[in-house]
Amino acid sequence: MKRNLGQNFLAAEEILEEAAQAVSLKGKTVLEIGAGHGELTVFLAKDAKNVVALELDSKLIAPLRENLSLNEIKNVKIVCGDALEFDFSNYEIIYGNLPYYITTPLLFKIIKSGCKQAVLLVQAEVGERIVAESGSHEYSRLSVMVQSQADASIIDFVPKECFNPIPKVDSVLLKLVMKKNFVLGEKLVNALFQHKNQSVKNALVHSTAFLGLDKQKAREFADSLGFGGEKVFCLSLKQLETVCKKFNGFSEKT
């Protein structure tokens, strides 16, 4: 087994069934990232019109095919390929047990794919950061960048003992429902959350080189917001949206 691929297979049937039932699959073609031996694939295929089972490890294709055959599953297309290179754009619903070492790039690829919903197994710490509310210790750049584009919720906590082999950390089952909303400026959000315990004004002043502003202009911009004295990690999504929209207009004038 290639442990460097981050392969830990979910073996708890109650969690697998819960994941499959988290969204309505009837009449849908579903993409599953990291199909493994088909543990989840079987549950998805029962309700979905079709399932595209994507698996990177070529050694798992034969046992995956055998598992589907034993369960008399015929509506699954197996694809051996890299999720980072695979085209996600044709799927309304995406499932995935995201390898810990590539969770973030895969997560944002899914969000930007045009899918409507996603159900993902992610490391518990990552899931908690994704759904964190403003003002909490876990609230971060990841929180706001995901929440600006999707309604995120944790369906269930998944102890590490539910996997084979047992990983070092627990996981959560995360549901994303995509929304059409203002996409926050990634560069500005990155700059602010580099100093998330500081006031917005100080965070901007300390990010002038990165943002291409001089310190006086940064202070003027912060003062124009009306909440420049608030701590960055206490900003709501609405306030961050205001910052980004105003900054776009401000930077065009400078």
Side-chain angles (χ1 to χ4, degrees), residues 133-165:
E133 297 181 356
S134 62
S136 69
H137 177 72
E138 293 81 12
Y139 193 61
S140 65
R141 180 194 71 87
L142 181 63
S143 312
V144 300
M145 293 307 297
V146 172
Q147 292 177 31
S148 69
Q149 300 172 78
D151 291 320
S153 59
I154 291 176
I155 301 172
D156 205 350
F157 176 76
V158 186
K160 58 188 177 183
E161 290 79 14
C162 291
F163 292 86
N164 183 29

Side-chain angles (χ1 to χ4, degrees), residues 8-239:
N8 301 94
F9 307 107
L10 182 59
E13 288 200 0
E14 66 275 13
I15 301 294
L16 292 166
E17 187 172 10
E18 182 179 33
Q21 294 179 353
V23 299
S24 175
L25 304 179
K26 187 175 181 181
K28 301 292 195 304
T29 296
V30 178
L31 173 63
E32 182 192 4
I33 300 168
H37 305 116
E39 293 88 348
L40 177 60
T41 319
V42 171
F43 285 92
L44 297 176
K46 290 177 181 178
D47 294 324
K49 179 181 179 181
N50 295 294
V51 177
V52 174
L54 181 63
E55 175 53 54
L56 175 61
D57 191 348
S58 59
K59 292 181 180 179
L60 294 177
I61 299 303
L64 171 57
R65 187 174 287 116
E66 181 181 357
N67 189 19
L68 296 176
S69 178
L70 288 172
N71 285 278
E72 299 182 346
I73 301 295
K74 298 181 180 180
N75 60 334
V76 174
K77 177 183 178 182
I78 299 172
V79 177
C80 186
D82 188 341
L84 290 173
E85 299 176 1
F86 190 80
D87 184 4
F88 292 176
S89 62
N90 297 317
Y91 305 94
E92 287 187 32
I93 300 173
I94 297 177
Y95 276 77
N97 181 358
L98 304 189
Y100 298 156
Y101 66 101
I102 53 170
T103 293
T104 300
L106 269 181
L107 177 65
F108 283 105
K109 182 175 179 180
I110 291 167
I111 289 173
K112 295 174 182 178
S113 70
C115 76
K116 293 183 178 179
Q117 297 182 92
V119 179
L120 310 169
L121 268 169
V122 299
Q123 185 176 343
E125 181 183 351
V126 174
E128 289 162 2
R129 282 167 52 209
I130 288 171
V131 303
E133 297 181 356
S134 62
S136 69
H137 177 72
E138 293 81 12
Y139 193 61
S140 65
R141 180 194 71 87
L142 181 63
S143 312
V144 300
M145 293 307 297
V146 172
Q147 292 177 31
S148 69
Q149 300 172 78
D151 291 320
S153 59
I154 291 176
I155 301 172
D156 205 350
F157 176 76
V158 186
K160 58 188 177 183
E161 290 79 14
C162 291
F163 292 86
N164 183 29
I166 297 175
K168 295 180 180 179
V169 295
D170 299 314
S171 296
V172 293
L173 197 58
L174 179 74
K175 180 178 178 180
L176 300 177
V177 179
M178 309 310 164
K179 58 186 180 184
K180 293 182 179 179
N181 203 351
F182 179 81
V183 178
L184 299 177
E186 187 170 358
K187 185 174 183 178
L188 182 55
V189 171
N190 283 345
L192 289 170
F193 276 88
Q194 285 288 333
H195 311 281
K196 77 172 194 174
N197 293 316
Q198 297 182 12
S199 68
V200 174
K201 182 182 238 181
N202 287 341
L204 287 168
V205 169
H206 290 145
S207 302
T208 50
F210 181 69
L211 293 173
L213 293 175
D214 63 46
K215 294 187 185 299
Q216 183 56 37
K217 291 293 183 183
R219 293 187 184 96
E220 289 176 8
F221 173 67
D223 290 338
S224 74
L225 295 172
F227 49 82
E230 289 196 32
K231 296 287 183 69
V232 171
F233 77 94
C234 292
L235 294 180
S236 67
L237 282 178
K238 193 68 178 177
Q239 287 175 312

